[in-house]
Amino acid sequence: NRGLFDDYEAVEQVGVLFTQTTAGFAAPYYSPVKQVCANLVTQQIPFGFAVAGDENLANRLTGGEAARFEVMLIPEPIRLIDGQQAIVERWKEAGRAITVAPGDDVAARLKGRIEPWVALESRSDVWLFPRAKRADPAAPLVCHVVGPVYDQAANRTHPQSEVTVRMRSTLLGGRLVRNITYHTIGREPLELTATSERGDIRVTIPAVD
């Protein structure tokens, strides 16, 4: 389905600050970043990265990165050089960023700060990844539905039925939804019926396999 992915980019509601370390990628230093990202995926919260470099990585924060997101998460511990720590402190003072300590519940830290743009309204075990064409606001919105429960012996993901997804009006940019098409591998596209409530859209996918 190249038409659903080419030129599309991940929608970014929450930011995660990635800070480089000279200790190497296997270092425990990166465990908090992995924990934060895993929590965001399971909570269906779209996220992106801001990268703060070190002696080996040229990236440097300029101060404008937090404006891309509703809020920036700062996984601790962090090591910042060349004035980047001052930028992060300004974000925190302005309420644009919050720290996440090892073991913190990310959903609890974000409570009251954001309303997730996508949500599951069924007892389903899927991940939702909304994508859009930033250069073309009129292009269709894509939400990638991924079944993460994999049966290695059968070489397939666990099939699920009646998966209900809600997309908030913020994600839709105020546009009216004319139609929703569900694409899956090896089958013809399926037209789905959506319901609307205060601009939010609900749609039920009969089967995700």
Side-chain angles (χ1 to χ4, degrees), residues 16-51:
V16 178
L17 181 65
F18 174 83
T19 57
Q20 168 80 354
T21 177
T22 57
F25 287 102
Y29 179 88
Y30 292 112
S31 296
V33 177
K34 294 176 182 178
Q35 174 217 338
V36 167
C37 294
N39 271 254
L40 291 171
V41 169
T42 57
Q43 294 294 322
Q44 316 295 345
I45 298 174
F47 67 96
F49 288 101
V51 179

CSV table of all heavy atoms in Angstrom, one decimal, residues 16-51:
chain,number,residue,atom,x,y,z
A,16,VAL,N,9.5,13.6,22.7
A,16,VAL,CA,10.4,12.9,23.6
A,16,VAL,C,11.8,13.4,23.3
A,16,VAL,O,12.2,13.4,22.2
A,16,VAL,CB,10.3,11.4,23.4
A,16,VAL,CG1,11.3,10.7,24.3
A,16,VAL,CG2,8.9,10.9,23.7
A,17,LEU,N,12.5,13.9,24.3
A,17,LEU,CA,13.9,14.4,24.2
A,17,LEU,C,14.8,13.2,24.2
A,17,LEU,O,14.9,12.5,25.2
A,17,LEU,CB,14.2,15.4,25.2
A,17,LEU,CG,15.6,16.0,25.1
A,17,LEU,CD1,15.7,16.8,23.8
A,17,LEU,CD2,16.0,16.8,26.3
A,18,PHE,N,15.6,13.0,23.1
A,18,PHE,CA,16.6,12.0,23.1
A,18,PHE,C,18.0,12.7,23.3
A,18,PHE,O,18.3,13.7,22.6
A,18,PHE,CB,16.6,11.3,21.7
A,18,PHE,CG,17.8,10.3,21.6
A,18,PHE,CD1,17.7,9.1,22.1
A,18,PHE,CD2,18.9,10.7,20.9
A,18,PHE,CE1,18.8,8.2,22.0
A,18,PHE,CE2,20.0,9.9,20.8
A,18,PHE,CZ,20.0,8.6,21.3
A,19,THR,N,18.7,12.3,24.2
A,19,THR,CA,20.0,12.8,24.5
A,19,THR,C,21.1,11.7,24.3
A,19,THR,O,20.9,10.6,24.7
A,19,THR,CB,20.1,13.4,25.9
A,19,THR,OG1,19.8,12.3,26.9
A,19,THR,CG2,19.2,14.5,26.1
A,20,GLN,N,22.1,12.1,23.6
A,20,GLN,CA,23.2,11.2,23.2
A,20,GLN,C,24.1,10.9,24.4
A,20,GLN,O,24.3,11.8,25.3
A,20,GLN,CB,24.0,11.8,22.0
A,20,GLN,CG,25.3,11.1,21.7
A,20,GLN,CD,25.0,9.8,20.9
A,20,GLN,OE1,23.9,9.4,20.7
A,20,GLN,NE2,26.1,9.2,20.4
A,21,THR,N,24.7,9.7,24.5
A,21,THR,CA,25.7,9.5,25.4
A,21,THR,C,26.9,8.8,24.8
A,21,THR,O,26.7,8.0,23.8
A,21,THR,CB,25.2,8.6,26.6
A,21,THR,OG1,26.3,8.3,27.5
A,21,THR,CG2,24.7,7.2,26.0
A,22,THR,N,28.1,9.1,25.3
A,22,THR,CA,29.3,8.4,24.7
A,22,THR,C,29.5,7.0,25.2
A,22,THR,O,30.4,6.3,24.7
A,22,THR,CB,30.5,9.3,25.1
A,22,THR,OG1,30.6,9.4,26.5
A,22,THR,CG2,30.5,10.7,24.4
A,23,ALA,N,28.6,6.5,26.1
A,23,ALA,CA,28.8,5.2,26.6
A,23,ALA,C,28.3,4.1,25.7
A,23,ALA,O,28.6,2.9,26.0
A,23,ALA,CB,28.0,5.1,27.9
A,24,GLY,N,27.7,4.4,24.6
A,24,GLY,CA,27.3,3.4,23.6
A,24,GLY,C,25.8,3.1,23.7
A,24,GLY,O,25.2,3.3,24.8
A,25,PHE,N,25.2,2.5,22.7
A,25,PHE,CA,23.8,2.3,22.6
A,25,PHE,C,23.3,1.2,23.5
A,25,PHE,O,22.1,1.1,23.7
A,25,PHE,CB,23.4,2.0,21.1
A,25,PHE,CG,23.5,3.2,20.3
A,25,PHE,CD1,24.6,3.5,19.4
A,25,PHE,CD2,22.5,4.2,20.3
A,25,PHE,CE1,24.6,4.6,18.6
A,25,PHE,CE2,22.5,5.3,19.5
A,25,PHE,CZ,23.6,5.5,18.7
A,26,ALA,N,24.2,0.3,24.0
A,26,ALA,CA,23.7,-0.7,24.9
A,26,ALA,C,23.7,-0.3,26.3
A,26,ALA,O,23.3,-1.0,27.2
A,26,ALA,CB,24.6,-1.9,24.7
A,27,ALA,N,24.1,1.0,26.6
A,27,ALA,CA,24.2,1.5,28.0
A,27,ALA,C,22.8,1.6,28.6
A,27,ALA,O,21.8,1.9,28.0
A,27,ALA,CB,24.9,2.8,28.0
A,28,PRO,N,22.8,1.4,30.0
A,28,PRO,CA,21.5,1.5,30.7
A,28,PRO,C,21.0,2.9,30.6
A,28,PRO,O,19.8,3.2,30.9
A,28,PRO,CB,21.9,1.2,32.2
A,28,PRO,CG,23.1,0.4,32.0
A,28,PRO,CD,23.9,0.8,30.8
A,29,TYR,N,21.8,3.9,30.2
A,29,TYR,CA,21.4,5.3,30.0
A,29,TYR,C,20.1,5.4,29.2
A,29,TYR,O,19.3,6.3,29.4
A,29,TYR,CB,22.5,6.0,29.4
A,29,TYR,CG,22.3,7.5,29.1
A,29,TYR,CD1,22.6,8.5,30.1
A,29,TYR,CD2,21.8,7.9,27.9
A,29,TYR,CE1,22.3,9.8,29.8
A,29,TYR,CE2,21.6,9.3,27.6
A,29,TYR,CZ,21.9,10.2,28.6
A,29,TYR,OH,21.7,11.5,28.3
A,30,TYR,N,20.0,4.5,28.2
A,30,TYR,CA,18.9,4.6,27.3
A,30,TYR,C,17.6,3.9,27.7
A,30,TYR,O,16.5,4.1,27.1
A,30,TYR,CB,19.3,4.1,25.9
A,30,TYR,CG,20.3,4.9,25.2
A,30,TYR,CD1,21.6,4.4,25.0
A,30,TYR,CD2,20.0,6.2,24.8
A,30,TYR,CE1,22.6,5.2,24.4
A,30,TYR,CE2,21.0,7.0,24.2
A,30,TYR,CZ,22.2,6.5,24.0
A,30,TYR,OH,23.2,7.3,23.4
A,31,SER,N,17.6,3.2,28.8
A,31,SER,CA,16.5,2.5,29.3
A,31,SER,C,15.3,3.4,29.6
A,31,SER,O,14.1,3.1,29.2
A,31,SER,CB,16.8,1.7,30.6
A,31,SER,OG,17.7,0.7,30.3
A,32,PRO,N,15.5,4.6,30.2
A,32,PRO,CA,14.3,5.5,30.4
A,32,PRO,C,13.7,6.0,29.1
A,32,PRO,O,12.5,6.1,29.1
A,32,PRO,CB,15.0,6.7,31.2
A,32,PRO,CG,16.2,6.1,31.9
A,32,PRO,CD,16.7,5.1,30.9
A,33,VAL,N,14.5,6.2,28.1
A,33,VAL,CA,13.9,6.6,26.8
A,33,VAL,C,13.0,5.5,26.2
A,33,VAL,O,11.9,5.8,25.7
A,33,VAL,CB,15.0,7.0,25.8
A,33,VAL,CG1,14.4,7.4,24.5
A,33,VAL,CG2,15.8,8.2,26.3
A,34,LYS,N,13.5,4.3,26.3
A,34,LYS,CA,12.8,3.2,25.8
A,34,LYS,C,11.5,3.0,26.6
A,34,LYS,O,10.4,2.7,26.0
A,34,LYS,CB,13.6,1.9,25.9
A,34,LYS,CG,14.8,1.9,25.0
A,34,LYS,CD,15.7,0.6,25.2
A,34,LYS,CE,16.9,0.7,24.3
A,34,LYS,NZ,17.8,-0.5,24.5
A,35,GLN,N,11.5,3.2,27.9
A,35,GLN,CA,10.4,3.0,28.8
A,35,GLN,C,9.3,4.1,28.4
A,35,GLN,O,8.1,3.8,28.2
A,35,GLN,CB,10.7,3.2,30.2
A,35,GLN,CG,9.5,3.2,31.2
A,35,GLN,CD,9.7,4.2,32.3
A,35,GLN,OE1,10.8,4.6,32.7
A,35,GLN,NE2,8.5,4.6,32.9
A,36,VAL,N,9.7,5.3,28.2
A,36,VAL,CA,8.8,6.4,27.8
A,36,VAL,C,8.1,6.1,26.5
A,36,VAL,O,6.9,6.2,26.3
A,36,VAL,CB,9.5,7.7,27.8
A,36,VAL,CG1,8.7,8.8,27.1
A,36,VAL,CG2,9.9,8.2,29.2
A,37,CYS,N,8.9,5.7,25.5
A,37,CYS,CA,8.4,5.4,24.2
A,37,CYS,C,7.4,4.2,24.2
A,37,CYS,O,6.3,4.2,23.6
A,37,CYS,CB,9.5,5.1,23.2
A,37,CYS,SG,10.5,6.6,22.8
A,38,ALA,N,7.8,3.2,24.9
A,38,ALA,CA,6.9,2.0,25.0
A,38,ALA,C,5.6,2.4,25.7
A,38,ALA,O,4.5,1.9,25.3
A,38,ALA,CB,7.6,0.9,25.8
A,39,ASN,N,5.6,3.2,26.7
A,39,ASN,CA,4.4,3.7,27.4
A,39,ASN,C,3.5,4.5,26.4
A,39,ASN,O,2.3,4.3,26.4
A,39,ASN,CB,4.7,4.5,28.6
A,39,ASN,CG,4.9,3.7,29.9
A,39,ASN,OD1,4.0,3.7,30.7
A,39,ASN,ND2,6.0,3.0,30.0
A,40,LEU,N,4.1,5.3,25.6
A,40,LEU,CA,3.3,6.2,24.7
A,40,LEU,C,2.7,5.3,23.6
A,40,LEU,O,1.5,5.5,23.3
A,40,LEU,CB,4.2,7.2,24.0
A,40,LEU,CG,4.8,8.3,25.0
A,40,LEU,CD1,5.8,9.1,24.3
A,40,LEU,CD2,3.6,9.2,25.4
A,41,VAL,N,3.4,4.3,23.1
A,41,VAL,CA,2.8,3.4,22.1
A,41,VAL,C,1.6,2.6,22.7
A,41,VAL,O,0.5,2.6,22.1
A,41,VAL,CB,3.9,2.4,21.6
A,41,VAL,CG1,3.2,1.3,20.8
A,41,VAL,CG2,4.9,3.1,20.8
A,42,THR,N,1.7,2.1,23.9
A,42,THR,CA,0.6,1.3,24.5
A,42,THR,C,-0.6,2.2,24.9
A,42,THR,O,-1.7,1.8,25.0
A,42,THR,CB,1.1,0.5,25.7
A,42,THR,OG1,1.7,1.4,26.7
A,42,THR,CG2,2.1,-0.5,25.3
A,43,GLN,N,-0.3,3.5,25.1
A,43,GLN,CA,-1.4,4.5,25.4
A,43,GLN,C,-1.9,5.1,24.2
A,43,GLN,O,-2.8,6.0,24.3
A,43,GLN,CB,-0.8,5.5,26.4
A,43,GLN,CG,-0.4,5.1,27.8
A,43,GLN,CD,-1.6,4.6,28.6
A,43,GLN,OE1,-2.7,5.1,28.5
A,43,GLN,NE2,-1.4,3.5,29.3
A,44,GLN,N,-1.5,4.7,23.0
A,44,GLN,CA,-2.0,5.2,21.7
A,44,GLN,C,-1.7,6.7,21.6
A,44,GLN,O,-2.5,7.5,21.0
A,44,GLN,CB,-3.5,4.9,21.5
A,44,GLN,CG,-3.9,3.6,21.9
A,44,GLN,CD,-3.3,2.5,21.0
A,44,GLN,OE1,-2.8,2.7,20.0
A,44,GLN,NE2,-3.4,1.2,21.5
A,45,ILE,N,-0.6,7.2,22.1
A,45,ILE,CA,-0.3,8.6,22.1
A,45,ILE,C,0.8,8.9,21.0
A,45,ILE,O,1.9,8.4,21.1
A,45,ILE,CB,0.2,9.2,23.4
A,45,ILE,CG1,-0.9,9.0,24.5
A,45,ILE,CG2,0.6,10.6,23.3
A,45,ILE,CD1,-0.5,9.3,25.9
A,46,PRO,N,0.5,9.6,19.9
A,46,PRO,CA,1.5,9.8,18.8
A,46,PRO,C,2.6,10.7,19.4
A,46,PRO,O,2.4,11.7,20.0
A,46,PRO,CB,0.7,10.5,17.8
A,46,PRO,CG,-0.8,10.3,18.1
A,46,PRO,CD,-0.8,10.2,19.6
A,47,PHE,N,3.8,10.3,19.0
A,47,PHE,CA,5.0,11.1,19.5
A,47,PHE,C,6.1,11.2,18.5
A,47,PHE,O,6.1,10.5,17.5
A,47,PHE,CB,5.5,10.5,20.8
A,47,PHE,CG,6.2,9.1,20.6
A,47,PHE,CD1,7.5,9.0,20.5
A,47,PHE,CD2,5.4,8.0,20.6
A,47,PHE,CE1,8.1,7.7,20.3
A,47,PHE,CE2,6.0,6.7,20.5
A,47,PHE,CZ,7.3,6.6,20.3
A,48,GLY,N,6.9,12.2,18.7
A,48,GLY,CA,8.1,12.4,17.9
A,48,GLY,C,9.3,12.7,18.8
A,48,GLY,O,9.2,12.9,20.0
A,49,PHE,N,10.5,12.9,18.1
A,49,PHE,CA,11.7,13.2,18.9
A,49,PHE,C,12.3,14.6,18.7
A,49,PHE,O,12.2,15.1,17.6
A,49,PHE,CB,12.8,12.1,18.5
A,49,PHE,CG,12.5,10.8,19.1
A,49,PHE,CD1,12.0,9.8,18.2
A,49,PHE,CD2,12.8,10.4,20.4
A,49,PHE,CE1,11.7,8.5,18.7
A,49,PHE,CE2,12.5,9.2,20.8
A,49,PHE,CZ,12.0,8.2,20.0
A,50,ALA,N,12.9,15.1,19.7
A,50,ALA,CA,13.9,16.2,19.5
A,50,ALA,C,15.2,15.6,20.0
A,50,ALA,O,15.2,14.8,21.0
A,50,ALA,CB,13.5,17.4,20.4
A,51,VAL,N,16.2,15.9,19.3
A,51,VAL,CA,17.5,15.3,19.5
A,51,VAL,C,18.5,16.3,20.0
A,51,VAL,O,18.8,17.3,19.4
A,51,VAL,CB,18.1,14.6,18.3
A,51,VAL,CG1,19.4,13.9,18.5
A,51,VAL,CG2,17.1,13.5,17.8
